Amino acid sequence: MKLDFSLILTCTIEPKNMPDLVRSDPETRLNDYKKAFNFWINNRHIKKIILIENSNYDLSYFKELAKKFNDKEIEIISSNSNNTFEKSLGKGYGQYLSLKEIFEKSTIADKTEYFIDVGARYCINNFEDILKDIKISKSDIYINITDNLKFADANIYGGTKKFFTKFLIPETAKTNDSINKIYENCVANATLKAVSEGMSLSKTPIYADIDGYIGTNGKQYKQNFFKKIKLFFFRKLKTYFIQHKKY
C-alpha cells in the first residue's frame, strides 16, 4: 500500500528561558536538529517534509541542504511564535503553536491527507518498520498511549489531516505545564475524543527506537539490546491478546 504523507518536524533552536529544559544551549540544539534533518532528508521513503522553527533562528543551513533534493517537496517555515506566550505554559504550548501555523500556512499540508509528526531533534532508527506498520494498520491515528490512557508518546505519531485539525490542534491549545497539563496529556485526550467520534486507532503501534537527547533532562535515549527484546515481546503479547479477545 502506498501512503502519501508529509513528515512534520517542529524545531525550537533558541528556547529563551523555557523552564524545565536542561538541553537549552542554542548551538547544541542546532547541532541536534542538523543531524536529525540529514537523517530524514536522506530517507528514501520520505518525499514530503515540513520543517518549522519557532524562535526566529537563522535557517540557512536547512534551506541550502533542501535545495540539493530536487526529488522531494520540502518546506522550511520560520516563525517567532515561541516568543509570543507566557513560558510557564511550557514548551508543549510552543509545539501547539507550530502545528497550528503549519496547517494555516503550509502549501504541502494543504494538499496532503496524512502526517507523521516526529520530534525534530530525533532520529528514529526503526522508522521504516513503523511506516510499514502504519500502512498495514490503515488507521486514522497511529500512536502509543500509556498511563491508563492519559499519556501519548509524542516523539513520533501519525494521523490524518482531520485528526490534526479537528482534534489534535484544538486539544493541545489547552497545554499548560503550570497546572500539570502537559502536551502529551493533551495529545492523549485528542486521541480519545477522535476515537469517540468514530476515528480508528492503531491497536499495537511499534515502539520507536530513538537516537537523540531528551530536552527536559539532557539525557540520551538509551534502548539497549535487552530493552529492544523486552519491547518486542511486550508488543507481541499485546497483539496476541487483542486478536484473541473473547468479548
Side-chain angles (χ1 to χ4, degrees), residues 116-183:
I116 299 175
D117 186 6
V118 178
R121 291 184 302 104
Y122 301 144
C123 305
I124 309 296
N125 293 324
N126 60 341
F127 177 74
E128 292 186 21
D129 292 333
I130 292 173
L131 182 58
K132 186 184 298 183
D133 199 47
I134 289 174
K135 294 176 181 179
I136 292 171
S137 73
K138 299 179 182 178
S139 57
D140 298 313
I141 311 162
Y142 188 90
I143 195 166
N144 265 304
I145 300 183
T146 58
D147 192 20
N148 200 26
L149 304 180
K150 295 177 183 177
F151 185 93
D153 182 359
N155 290 319
I156 178 170
Y157 62 96
T160 62
K161 181 182 288 183
K162 180 181 177 181
F163 170 65
F164 275 83
T165 57
K166 184 177 179 180
F167 298 100
L168 184 70
I169 291 174
E171 200 62 32
T172 54
K174 303 172 186 177
T175 300
N176 188 341
D177 285 12
S178 67
I179 58 172
N180 294 319
K181 194 163 189 177
I182 64 173
Y183 182 79

Side-chain angles (χ1 to χ4, degrees), residues 38-217:
N38 273 277
F39 174 86
W40 294 114
I41 204 170
N42 280 287
N43 187 297
R44 64 187 178 89
H45 297 287
I46 297 172
K47 301 301 181 183
K48 299 180 183 179
I49 299 175
I50 305 168
L51 181 145
I52 184 168
E53 200 286 323
N54 67 357
S55 68
N56 206 29
Y57 202 89
D58 179 19
L59 301 179
S60 299
Y61 173 86
F62 303 94
K63 292 176 180 178
E64 290 303 312
L65 182 58
K67 290 178 183 177
K68 299 178 181 179
F69 291 81
N70 298 322
D71 60 329
K72 299 177 187 281
E73 292 183 69
I74 303 170
E75 201 167 10
I76 311 291
I77 303 172
S78 180
S79 170
N80 192 44
S81 62
N82 199 60
N83 301 317
T84 64
F85 64 91
E86 173 55 51
K87 292 299 193 292
S88 62
L89 293 173
K91 58 185 181 295
Y93 191 83
Q95 173 84 356
Y96 145 70
L97 289 176
S98 290
L99 288 176
K100 180 173 179 286
E101 191 166 352
I102 282 175
F103 285 93
E104 289 175 347
K105 297 181 178 180
S106 168
T107 56
I108 293 177
D110 190 51
K111 59 184 180 181
T112 307
E113 289 302 320
Y114 196 92
F115 301 86
I116 299 175
D117 186 6
V118 178
R121 291 184 302 104
Y122 301 144
C123 305
I124 309 296
N125 293 324
N126 60 341
F127 177 74
E128 292 186 21
D129 292 333
I130 292 173
L131 182 58
K132 186 184 298 183
D133 199 47
I134 289 174
K135 294 176 181 179
I136 292 171
S137 73
K138 299 179 182 178
S139 57
D140 298 313
I141 311 162
Y142 188 90
I143 195 166
N144 265 304
I145 300 183
T146 58
D147 192 20
N148 200 26
L149 304 180
K150 295 177 183 177
F151 185 93
D153 182 359
N155 290 319
I156 178 170
Y157 62 96
T160 62
K161 181 182 288 183
K162 180 181 177 181
F163 170 65
F164 275 83
T165 57
K166 184 177 179 180
F167 298 100
L168 184 70
I169 291 174
E171 200 62 32
T172 54
K174 303 172 186 177
T175 300
N176 188 341
D177 285 12
S178 67
I179 58 172
N180 294 319
K181 194 163 189 177
I182 64 173
Y183 182 79
E184 289 81 359
N185 297 149
C186 294
V187 176
N189 289 342
T191 303
L192 296 178
K193 285 187 177 183
V195 171
S196 73
E197 294 194 24
M199 298 196 80
S200 58
L201 174 65
S202 54
K203 293 182 174 64
T204 55
I206 293 174
Y207 297 99
D209 181 3
I210 301 173
D211 176 12
Y213 290 84
I214 303 168
T216 306
N217 58 25

